[in-house]
Short mmCIF file of all heavy atoms in Angstrom, two decimals:
data_model
loop_
_atom_site.label_atom_id
_atom_site.label_comp_id
_atom_site.label_asym_id
_atom_site.label_seq_id
_atom_site.Cartn_x
_atom_site.Cartn_y
_atom_site.Cartn_z
N GLU R 1 0.81 -1.22 0.00
CA GLU R 1 0.00 0.00 0.00
C GLU R 1 0.85 1.27 0.00
O GLU R 1 0.39 2.31 -0.45
CB GLU R 1 -0.92 0.02 1.22
CG GLU R 1 -1.97 -1.06 1.20
CD GLU R 1 -2.77 -1.10 2.48
OE1 GLU R 1 -2.18 -1.02 3.57
OE2 GLU R 1 -4.01 -1.21 2.38
N ASN R 2 2.09 1.17 0.50
CA ASN R 2 2.95 2.36 0.57
C ASN R 2 3.61 2.70 -0.76
O ASN R 2 3.56 3.83 -1.21
CB ASN R 2 4.03 2.19 1.63
CG ASN R 2 3.47 2.25 3.03
OD1 ASN R 2 2.33 2.61 3.25
ND2 ASN R 2 4.29 1.87 3.99
N CYS R 3 4.27 1.71 -1.39
CA CYS R 3 5.06 2.02 -2.59
C CYS R 3 4.49 1.42 -3.87
O CYS R 3 5.00 1.70 -4.96
CB CYS R 3 6.50 1.54 -2.40
SG CYS R 3 6.70 -0.24 -2.31
N GLY R 4 3.45 0.60 -3.76
CA GLY R 4 2.80 0.08 -4.95
C GLY R 4 3.44 -1.16 -5.57
O GLY R 4 2.97 -1.64 -6.60
N LYS R 5 4.52 -1.68 -4.97
CA LYS R 5 5.13 -2.91 -5.49
C LYS R 5 4.10 -4.02 -5.45
O LYS R 5 3.26 -4.09 -4.55
CB LYS R 5 6.35 -3.30 -4.66
CG LYS R 5 7.52 -2.38 -4.82
CD LYS R 5 8.13 -2.54 -6.19
CE LYS R 5 9.33 -1.63 -6.33
NZ LYS R 5 9.90 -1.67 -7.65
N LEU R 6 4.17 -4.92 -6.42
CA LEU R 6 3.18 -5.98 -6.55
C LEU R 6 3.88 -7.29 -6.88
O LEU R 6 4.85 -7.30 -7.64
CB LEU R 6 2.21 -5.63 -7.67
CG LEU R 6 1.18 -6.70 -8.04
CD1 LEU R 6 -0.19 -6.09 -8.12
CD2 LEU R 6 1.54 -7.36 -9.35
N VAL R 7 3.39 -8.37 -6.31
CA VAL R 7 3.85 -9.70 -6.68
C VAL R 7 2.61 -10.58 -6.80
O VAL R 7 1.64 -10.43 -6.07
CB VAL R 7 4.85 -10.30 -5.68
CG1 VAL R 7 4.24 -10.50 -4.31
CG2 VAL R 7 5.41 -11.61 -6.19
N GLU R 8 2.65 -11.46 -7.78
CA GLU R 8 1.54 -12.39 -8.01
C GLU R 8 2.09 -13.80 -7.86
O GLU R 8 3.02 -14.19 -8.56
CB GLU R 8 0.97 -12.16 -9.40
CG GLU R 8 -0.27 -12.96 -9.68
CD GLU R 8 -0.89 -12.56 -11.00
OE1 GLU R 8 -1.59 -11.53 -11.02
OE2 GLU R 8 -0.66 -13.25 -12.00
N LEU R 9 1.54 -14.55 -6.92
CA LEU R 9 1.94 -15.93 -6.70
C LEU R 9 0.98 -16.82 -7.49
O LEU R 9 -0.20 -16.90 -7.16
CB LEU R 9 1.89 -16.29 -5.22
CG LEU R 9 2.77 -15.43 -4.30
CD1 LEU R 9 2.56 -15.83 -2.85
CD2 LEU R 9 4.22 -15.52 -4.69
N THR R 10 1.49 -17.41 -8.56
CA THR R 10 0.69 -18.28 -9.41
C THR R 10 1.36 -19.64 -9.51
O THR R 10 2.58 -19.74 -9.49
CB THR R 10 0.53 -17.69 -10.82
OG1 THR R 10 1.82 -17.46 -11.38
CG2 THR R 10 -0.24 -16.39 -10.79
N PRO R 11 0.58 -20.71 -9.63
CA PRO R 11 1.17 -22.05 -9.76
C PRO R 11 2.02 -22.15 -11.02
O PRO R 11 1.65 -21.66 -12.08
CB PRO R 11 -0.05 -22.96 -9.86
CG PRO R 11 -1.16 -22.19 -9.26
CD PRO R 11 -0.88 -20.76 -9.56
N GLU R 12 3.20 -22.79 -10.87
CA GLU R 12 4.11 -22.96 -12.00
C GLU R 12 4.31 -24.42 -12.35
O GLU R 12 5.00 -24.73 -13.32
CB GLU R 12 5.47 -22.34 -11.67
CG GLU R 12 5.40 -20.84 -11.45
CD GLU R 12 6.75 -20.25 -11.09
OE1 GLU R 12 7.78 -20.90 -11.35
OE2 GLU R 12 6.76 -19.14 -10.57
N THR R 13 3.76 -25.33 -11.58
CA THR R 13 3.97 -26.75 -11.82
C THR R 13 2.65 -27.49 -11.71
O THR R 13 1.64 -26.95 -11.25
CB THR R 13 4.92 -27.36 -10.77
OG1 THR R 13 4.30 -27.29 -9.48
CG2 THR R 13 6.25 -26.65 -10.74
N GLN R 14 2.67 -28.74 -12.12
CA GLN R 14 1.50 -29.58 -11.92
C GLN R 14 1.29 -29.73 -10.42
O GLN R 14 2.24 -29.72 -9.65
CB GLN R 14 1.71 -30.95 -12.54
CG GLN R 14 1.75 -30.91 -14.04
CD GLN R 14 1.93 -32.30 -14.63
OE1 GLN R 14 2.27 -33.24 -13.95
NE2 GLN R 14 1.70 -32.40 -15.92
N GLY R 15 0.07 -29.86 -10.00
CA GLY R 15 -0.23 -29.96 -8.58
C GLY R 15 -0.50 -28.61 -7.95
O GLY R 15 -0.65 -28.49 -6.75
N LYS R 16 -0.53 -27.56 -8.77
CA LYS R 16 -0.87 -26.21 -8.31
C LYS R 16 0.11 -25.64 -7.29
O LYS R 16 -0.27 -24.97 -6.34
CB LYS R 16 -2.30 -26.19 -7.73
CG LYS R 16 -3.36 -26.76 -8.62
CD LYS R 16 -3.66 -25.83 -9.76
CE LYS R 16 -4.83 -26.39 -10.56
NZ LYS R 16 -5.18 -25.56 -11.66
N LEU R 17 1.43 -25.92 -7.45
CA LEU R 17 2.44 -25.43 -6.53
C LEU R 17 2.98 -24.08 -6.97
O LEU R 17 3.39 -23.91 -8.12
CB LEU R 17 3.60 -26.43 -6.43
CG LEU R 17 3.24 -27.83 -5.94
CD1 LEU R 17 4.46 -28.73 -6.00
CD2 LEU R 17 2.66 -27.80 -4.56
N ALA R 18 2.98 -23.11 -6.07
CA ALA R 18 3.55 -21.78 -6.34
C ALA R 18 4.79 -21.61 -5.47
O ALA R 18 4.75 -21.90 -4.28
CB ALA R 18 2.53 -20.69 -6.03
N TYR R 19 5.87 -21.15 -6.08
CA TYR R 19 7.12 -20.97 -5.35
C TYR R 19 7.10 -19.62 -4.63
O TYR R 19 7.22 -18.57 -5.25
CB TYR R 19 8.31 -21.06 -6.31
CG TYR R 19 8.40 -22.40 -6.96
CD1 TYR R 19 8.04 -22.57 -8.29
CD2 TYR R 19 8.82 -23.51 -6.24
CE1 TYR R 19 8.11 -23.82 -8.89
CE2 TYR R 19 8.89 -24.76 -6.82
CZ TYR R 19 8.54 -24.90 -8.15
OH TYR R 19 8.60 -26.13 -8.74
N VAL R 20 6.95 -19.64 -3.31
CA VAL R 20 6.77 -18.42 -2.54
C VAL R 20 8.06 -17.62 -2.43
O VAL R 20 8.11 -16.46 -2.83
CB VAL R 20 6.20 -18.74 -1.13
CG1 VAL R 20 6.13 -17.49 -0.27
CG2 VAL R 20 4.83 -19.38 -1.26
N HIS R 21 9.12 -18.22 -1.88
CA HIS R 21 10.35 -17.46 -1.63
C HIS R 21 10.92 -16.84 -2.90
O HIS R 21 11.23 -15.66 -2.95
CB HIS R 21 11.41 -18.34 -0.95
CG HIS R 21 12.71 -17.63 -0.75
ND1 HIS R 21 12.89 -16.70 0.24
CD2 HIS R 21 13.88 -17.69 -1.44
CE1 HIS R 21 14.12 -16.21 0.17
NE2 HIS R 21 14.74 -16.80 -0.83
N ARG R 22 11.06 -17.65 -3.93
CA ARG R 22 11.64 -17.18 -5.20
C ARG R 22 10.82 -16.02 -5.78
O ARG R 22 11.37 -15.00 -6.19
CB ARG R 22 11.70 -18.33 -6.19
CG ARG R 22 12.30 -17.96 -7.52
CD ARG R 22 12.26 -19.10 -8.53
NE ARG R 22 12.37 -20.41 -7.91
CZ ARG R 22 12.00 -21.53 -8.49
NH1 ARG R 22 11.50 -21.51 -9.71
NH2 ARG R 22 12.12 -22.68 -7.89
N ASN R 23 9.51 -16.18 -5.84
CA ASN R 23 8.66 -15.14 -6.42
C ASN R 23 8.63 -13.87 -5.57
O ASN R 23 8.64 -12.76 -6.10
CB ASN R 23 7.25 -15.67 -6.65
CG ASN R 23 7.18 -16.62 -7.81
OD1 ASN R 23 7.92 -16.49 -8.78
ND2 ASN R 23 6.32 -17.61 -7.71
N LEU R 24 8.57 -14.03 -4.25
CA LEU R 24 8.58 -12.85 -3.39
C LEU R 24 9.89 -12.09 -3.54
O LEU R 24 9.90 -10.88 -3.75
CB LEU R 24 8.36 -13.24 -1.92
CG LEU R 24 6.97 -13.73 -1.54
CD1 LEU R 24 6.94 -14.13 -0.08
CD2 LEU R 24 5.91 -12.68 -1.82
N TRP R 25 11.01 -12.80 -3.41
CA TRP R 25 12.33 -12.15 -3.43
C TRP R 25 12.58 -11.44 -4.76
O TRP R 25 13.09 -10.32 -4.79
CB TRP R 25 13.43 -13.18 -3.16
CG TRP R 25 14.77 -12.53 -2.98
CD1 TRP R 25 15.76 -12.45 -3.92
CD2 TRP R 25 15.24 -11.84 -1.83
NE1 TRP R 25 16.84 -11.76 -3.40
CE2 TRP R 25 16.54 -11.37 -2.12
CE3 TRP R 25 14.68 -11.57 -0.59
CZ2 TRP R 25 17.29 -10.65 -1.20
CZ3 TRP R 25 15.44 -10.86 0.32
CH2 TRP R 25 16.73 -10.40 0.01
N ASN R 26 12.21 -12.06 -5.85
CA ASN R 26 12.43 -11.46 -7.17
C ASN R 26 11.55 -10.24 -7.41
O ASN R 26 11.76 -9.50 -8.37
CB ASN R 26 12.20 -12.48 -8.28
CG ASN R 26 13.28 -13.53 -8.32
OD1 ASN R 26 14.37 -13.35 -7.79
ND2 ASN R 26 12.98 -14.66 -8.94
N ASN R 27 10.56 -10.02 -6.56
CA ASN R 27 9.64 -8.89 -6.73
C ASN R 27 9.65 -7.96 -5.52
O ASN R 27 8.66 -7.31 -5.20
CB ASN R 27 8.23 -9.41 -6.99
CG ASN R 27 8.13 -10.05 -8.35
OD1 ASN R 27 8.04 -9.37 -9.36
ND2 ASN R 27 8.18 -11.38 -8.39
N ASN R 28 10.80 -7.89 -4.82
CA ASN R 28 11.02 -6.96 -3.71
C ASN R 28 10.20 -7.24 -2.46
O ASN R 28 9.88 -6.33 -1.70
CB ASN R 28 10.80 -5.50 -4.15
CG ASN R 28 11.90 -5.03 -5.07
OD1 ASN R 28 13.07 -5.27 -4.82
ND2 ASN R 28 11.52 -4.39 -6.16
N PHE R 29 9.88 -8.50 -2.22
CA PHE R 29 9.23 -8.91 -0.98
C PHE R 29 10.02 -10.07 -0.38
O PHE R 29 10.81 -10.72 -1.07
CB PHE R 29 7.80 -9.38 -1.24
CG PHE R 29 6.86 -8.30 -1.68
CD1 PHE R 29 6.68 -8.04 -3.03
CD2 PHE R 29 6.16 -7.56 -0.76
CE1 PHE R 29 5.81 -7.05 -3.46
CE2 PHE R 29 5.28 -6.56 -1.17
CZ PHE R 29 5.10 -6.31 -2.52
N TYR R 30 9.80 -10.36 0.89
CA TYR R 30 10.40 -11.54 1.51
C TYR R 30 9.63 -11.94 2.75
O TYR R 30 8.93 -11.12 3.35
CB TYR R 30 11.88 -11.31 1.84
CG TYR R 30 12.14 -10.24 2.89
CD1 TYR R 30 12.35 -10.59 4.22
CD2 TYR R 30 12.19 -8.90 2.54
CE1 TYR R 30 12.60 -9.62 5.17
CE2 TYR R 30 12.43 -7.93 3.49
CZ TYR R 30 12.65 -8.29 4.80
OH TYR R 30 12.87 -7.33 5.75
N VAL R 31 9.72 -13.21 3.11
CA VAL R 31 9.12 -13.71 4.34
C VAL R 31 10.15 -13.47 5.44
O VAL R 31 11.24 -14.03 5.40
CB VAL R 31 8.76 -15.21 4.25
CG1 VAL R 31 8.29 -15.73 5.60
CG2 VAL R 31 7.72 -15.44 3.18
N SER R 32 9.82 -12.61 6.41
CA SER R 32 10.79 -12.26 7.44
C SER R 32 10.59 -13.05 8.73
O SER R 32 11.49 -13.13 9.55
CB SER R 32 10.73 -10.77 7.76
OG SER R 32 9.50 -10.44 8.36
N ASP R 33 9.41 -13.64 8.91
CA ASP R 33 9.16 -14.34 10.17
C ASP R 33 8.03 -15.35 9.99
O ASP R 33 7.08 -15.09 9.25
CB ASP R 33 8.78 -13.34 11.27
CG ASP R 33 8.78 -13.96 12.65
OD1 ASP R 33 9.53 -14.94 12.87
OD2 ASP R 33 8.04 -13.47 13.51
N THR R 34 8.17 -16.47 10.64
CA THR R 34 7.11 -17.46 10.70
C THR R 34 6.97 -17.92 12.14
O THR R 34 7.95 -17.96 12.89
CB THR R 34 7.40 -18.70 9.83
OG1 THR R 34 8.63 -19.27 10.24
CG2 THR R 34 7.46 -18.36 8.36
N VAL R 35 5.76 -18.23 12.54
CA VAL R 35 5.50 -18.79 13.86
C VAL R 35 4.86 -20.15 13.65
O VAL R 35 3.76 -20.25 13.11
CB VAL R 35 4.58 -17.88 14.71
CG1 VAL R 35 4.26 -18.54 16.04
CG2 VAL R 35 5.21 -16.51 14.91
N ILE R 36 5.61 -21.20 14.01
CA ILE R 36 5.13 -22.56 13.86
C ILE R 36 5.06 -23.20 15.24
O ILE R 36 6.04 -23.21 15.98
CB ILE R 36 6.06 -23.38 12.94
CG1 ILE R 36 6.12 -22.73 11.56
CG2 ILE R 36 5.59 -24.83 12.86
CD1 ILE R 36 7.15 -23.35 10.64
N GLU R 37 3.90 -23.70 15.58
CA GLU R 37 3.69 -24.38 16.86
C GLU R 37 3.89 -25.88 16.67
O GLU R 37 3.31 -26.47 15.76
CB GLU R 37 2.27 -24.10 17.36
CG GLU R 37 1.92 -24.76 18.66
CD GLU R 37 0.48 -24.48 19.04
OE1 GLU R 37 -0.05 -23.40 18.70
OE2 GLU R 37 -0.14 -25.36 19.65
N CYS R 38 4.75 -26.48 17.48
CA CYS R 38 5.01 -27.91 17.41
C CYS R 38 4.66 -28.55 18.75
O CYS R 38 4.96 -28.00 19.80
CB CYS R 38 6.48 -28.19 17.11
SG CYS R 38 7.02 -27.60 15.53
N SER R 39 4.05 -29.70 18.68
CA SER R 39 3.75 -30.44 19.91
C SER R 39 3.81 -31.93 19.62
O SER R 39 3.46 -32.39 18.55
CB SER R 39 2.38 -30.05 20.46
OG SER R 39 1.37 -30.39 19.54
N SER R 40 4.27 -32.66 20.62
CA SER R 40 4.36 -34.11 20.50
C SER R 40 3.09 -34.72 21.08
O SER R 40 2.60 -34.30 22.12
CB SER R 40 5.57 -34.63 21.27
OG SER R 40 5.55 -36.03 21.29
N THR R 41 2.54 -35.70 20.38
CA THR R 41 1.31 -36.33 20.85
C THR R 41 1.59 -37.54 21.74
O THR R 41 0.67 -38.14 22.26
CB THR R 41 0.44 -36.78 19.66
OG1 THR R 41 1.20 -37.66 18.85
CG2 THR R 41 -0.02 -35.59 18.85
#
């Protein structure tokens, strides 16, 4: 919303898989943090 940069994540392979890191990075975006909860059953 600030600078207008845009990235479109579209599937590139069979199985509808879109490459997140590669597409984000090449278009001036990146994943900076993830929160994953793990628990043993």
Side-chain angles (χ1 to χ4, degrees):
E1 294 174 315
N2 288 349
C3 67
K5 290 289 181 184
L6 174 132
V7 63
E8 187 172 279
L9 302 176
T10 56
E12 297 179 18
T13 65
Q14 292 181 346
K16 307 287 185 180
L17 301 175
Y19 298 105
V20 175
H21 177 76
R22 181 184 328 160
N23 287 327
L24 289 178
W25 188 259
N26 289 341
N27 291 282
N28 290 315
F29 292 92
Y30 64 98
V31 174
S32 67
D33 192 27
T34 57
V35 176
I36 300 172
E37 179 183 328
C38 296
S39 62
S40 173
T41 57

